[in-house]
Amino acid sequence: MFTAAIILAVIFTSLGFTVTAGNAKYILSGYNTMSEADRAKMDIIGYVRFFKRFHIFLGISLISGFLILTLLNNNWAGSFIIIYPLLAYVFLIAKGNKYYRGTKGQRSGTYVGMAILLVIIAGISTQLYSSLQDSKLIFSDNNLEIKGMYGLKLSKTDIAKIELVPELPPISYRSNGFAAGDFAKGNFKTKDGRTIKLFVNKKINPFLFITTKTDQIYYSSNEIASQALYDKLRLWSAD
């Protein structure tokens, strides 16, 4: 997540220096689609000055906030670099209105944009809250189910091996999954070329390692010790 925070901070800061009053009609979203009459109603010099200050502050505050929150809670830090820029752009849209001298009706599009962003933020926040929770492991007579994001269901006969391992294999990249804060869920590619499934709180080890006919699955939870879960799973699979 640190790499992602650095990249985002550099992008936002660079944006502040990219847009100028001279090139705004070509690259500034919204302004570049205005008619010449509407552009005449825009204080583009003042707006570009504000746009620059906004993005420089956003870049600096993003990386600073991320580093501070990392010291307190990785999950907060991971959520921060996703939600904070979106909230900042709501402010950008709202504040940017004062640089346009058109009628209230002409400016109504900005309020629609703000409303859309706020709905997106609410949806992402809900999804993040769900994702930054332990995946539930549910036993039934013949099936084992991992609930939640990227969850799956295993038949008892599909399980070939159950182990406890001290650490996760080195990960190359996420192929179809979620990774933020302490949590990783979904499909990941290891540096030795394997495709594995993770349902882990990375701070909780050892990890339960389940090998099936088709998958290699790693699991951990802060709600139940991996050793206790391993013993329970062994008894269940032998039953």
Side-chain angles (χ1 to χ4, degrees), residues 177-188:
F178 168 87
D182 296 329
F183 291 88
K185 302 177 182 182
N187 296 327
F188 292 77

Side-chain angles (χ1 to χ4, degrees), residues 60-126:
I60 294 172
S61 59
L62 179 74
I63 191 63
S64 301
F66 174 80
L67 291 174
I68 292 169
L69 287 174
T70 298
L71 299 175
L72 302 174
N73 186 297
N74 285 331
N75 298 326
W76 297 350
S79 299
F80 174 77
I81 65 170
I82 297 171
I83 299 298
Y84 174 62
L86 294 174
L87 286 172
Y89 270 89
V90 173
F91 171 78
L92 174 70
I93 294 171
K95 189 76 171 177
N97 250 346
K98 78 173 189 176
Y99 296 94
Y100 183 63
R101 296 183 293 272
T103 66
K104 185 176 180 180
Q106 288 175 310
R107 290 183 290 177
S108 61
T110 61
Y111 300 116
V112 173
M114 290 168 59
I116 291 172
L117 264 181
L118 288 171
V119 169
I120 291 172
I121 291 168
I124 291 175
S125 298
T126 301

Side-chain angles (χ1 to χ4, degrees), residues 140-164:
S140 62
D141 288 341
N142 296 305
N143 295 298
L144 173 68
E145 185 174 4
I146 299 177
K147 293 276 195 179
M149 179 179 280
Y150 303 101
L152 53 80
K153 191 177 217 179
L154 301 174
S155 170
K156 185 183 291 188
T157 57
D158 289 336
I159 298 175
K161 193 175 183 181
I162 304 166
E163 303 173 80
L164 277 179

Side-chain angles (χ1 to χ4, degrees), residues 26 29 31 42 47 53 55 85-86 101 113 122 125 134 149 152 175 194 224 236:
Y26 304 110
S29 179
Y31 186 74
M42 182 85 174
Y47 181 79
R53 290 197 306 266
H55 280 94
L86 294 174
R101 296 183 293 272
S125 298
D134 287 312
M149 179 179 280
L152 53 80
S175 56
R194 290 182 294 138
I224 180 170
W236 171 82

